[in-house]
Amino acid sequence: TGLVPNWARVKEANSLTLEKEDGSFSGSGTPQYEFGAEASRTVWRIAFDSAVYPGIPENKAGSFLAPLHNMMVNNFNKSPINGWEYFGGGTLQACSPDPGYVMSVFGSWHWNQFISAPVYSTLASKVSESLFQGKEFIQQDMIDAACDLVKTTADLSYYPLSWQVIAIMTLNGELAKIGNLVRGNGPSSSPMKSS
């Protein structure tokens, strides 16, 4: 399903390989084997790498995010009846019990900006065109829907507001502009019209 757990225990098998370590761990009140507020930051960090360092051969963002993007595409509704549920309930699902790294997804994730904003931000990374075959929408339609969902910032407290703003900057191409500066390529224009 493309999800990672809030927390993982790993050990170094050798200088190039990490392995899962048995046992449990939790922090900040979030369950280890849940996809929640801690785990969502992982998928955003991968999207960040994709936006800031595009085209680098070592960039494995596409393959890492592919299962999540598959779920997002297959559960996307371009014109939801309720006006907001572009990404249906099946978008985020727990993994199979074997190996069982993610046993649950935080309930009502759509309404928790700590989770929804980082998940929507992954759409800034290239989604395989093959996923759109037979669909009546393209990646840009999904990005537009995600932008519609993260644009609401009124009355949010600091942390949810921060994630909404980070998602806006990720989806509208600002991170790509930062990437140009980081790589010494100078400023670039935004892919979306500013108003």
Side-chain angles (χ1 to χ4, degrees):
T1 64
L3 302 184
V4 296
N6 281 324
W7 303 100
R9 290 175 48 98
V10 295
K11 61 184 174 186
E12 190 172 353
N14 59 50
S15 64
L16 299 175
T17 307
L18 295 177
E19 293 177 349
K20 180 183 176 194
E21 184 171 353
D22 292 333
S24 62
F25 175 79
S26 183
S28 71
T30 56
Q32 178 176 353
Y33 296 109
E34 174 189 75
F35 181 83
E38 307 298 344
S40 65
R41 293 188 300 196
T42 301
V43 295
W44 176 82
R45 181 63 172 87
I46 301 299
F48 174 91
D49 285 351
S50 177
V52 174
Y53 302 103
I56 296 176
E58 297 82 28
N59 188 335
K60 304 210 184 310
S63 60
F64 184 91
L65 295 172
L68 173 59
H69 285 159
N70 183 53
M71 298 297 286
M72 293 177 81
V73 168
N74 287 330
N75 288 278
F76 182 72
N77 181 350
K78 187 176 176 181
S79 303
I81 293 171
N82 62 15
W84 64 267
E85 197 170 10
Y86 299 102
F87 301 92
T91 301
L92 301 182
Q93 294 182 19
C95 300
S96 66
D98 184 24
Y101 298 131
V102 177
M103 296 180 183
S104 65
V105 174
F106 184 86
S108 301
W109 67 271
H110 290 97
W111 304 110
N112 184 323
Q113 292 83 8
F114 280 79
I115 302 168
S116 61
V119 168
Y120 299 147
S121 294
T122 68
L123 292 170
S125 182
K126 179 73 176 142
V127 177
S128 173
E129 290 182 23
S130 66
L131 293 178
F132 297 100
Q133 290 179 355
K135 306 286 187 193
E136 295 182 7
F137 58 88
I138 60 174
Q139 182 174 355
Q140 187 61 53
D141 294 323
M142 295 177 72
I143 292 171
D144 292 345
C147 286
D148 188 50
L149 293 168
V150 299
K151 72 181 179 187
T152 303
T153 57
D155 301 320
L156 292 176
S157 62
Y158 176 79
Y159 290 109
L161 175 61
S162 295
W163 271 112
Q164 292 292 82
V165 171
I166 290 168
I168 290 167
M169 292 176 63
T170 305
L171 290 164
N172 75 8
E174 293 300 315
L175 285 184
K177 289 166 60 174
I178 291 169
N180 282 332
L181 291 172
V182 168
R183 292 186 314 278
N185 297 335
S188 67
S189 60
S190 177
M192 298 178 70
K193 184 177 179 181
S194 300
S195 52

